[in-house]
Amino acid sequence: MQAENALSCCVVIVAAGRGERAGSHADGPKQYRRIGGRPVISHTLDLFVKWPQARHIVAVIHPDDEALFTAARAAALPARGRLTVGRGGATRQQSLLAGLQAL
């Protein structure tokens, strides 16, 4: 397949939830808990940053998680201008809509 015909797409990562069913609230949202020494969200970001077909990535986060996301993003590979951060809503559906609108 020639480069001009290669598949490309956009990715929306909905990470605005509180993860209340995933253990103690004191541990924070599950997407910022560490696995393998890094926040879960940084593993997710790396996966899509490495995927050449991902033309643009939108991460939708909770409005209160800016500092957590910034730290997690620093642990991930650089997105080289392909990453936009959106703010989630009260429900997963509202957060997904915010991500789609950010595209």
Side-chain angles (χ1 to χ4, degrees):
M1 186 181 295
Q2 294 180 353
E4 62 267 8
N5 294 329
L7 170 73
S8 71
C9 63
C10 298
V11 175
V12 176
I13 301 168
V14 183
R18 305 324 291 154
E20 294 173 352
R21 295 180 305 221
S24 172
H25 178 70
D27 294 332
K30 66 183 173 187
Q31 59 272 37
Y32 301 106
R33 294 184 193 165
R34 294 186 171 273
I35 293 179
R38 294 176 36 213
V40 171
I41 189 77
S42 74
H43 292 281
T44 303
L45 290 169
D46 277 352
L47 177 74
F48 288 111
V49 167
K50 289 177 184 175
W51 188 39
Q53 286 82 11
R55 184 170 45 97
H56 193 81
I57 304 162
V58 176
V60 182
I61 65 169
H62 192 280
D64 295 340
D65 293 347
E66 184 74 35
L68 289 169
F69 183 78
T70 299
R73 182 177 173 187
L77 293 173
R80 297 178 197 67
R82 297 186 302 156
L83 178 64
T84 299
V85 180
R87 302 300 174 268
T91 66
R92 177 173 289 277
Q93 290 81 5
Q94 290 171 345
S95 296
L96 181 55
L97 179 59
L100 293 171
Q101 289 172 331
L103 290 174

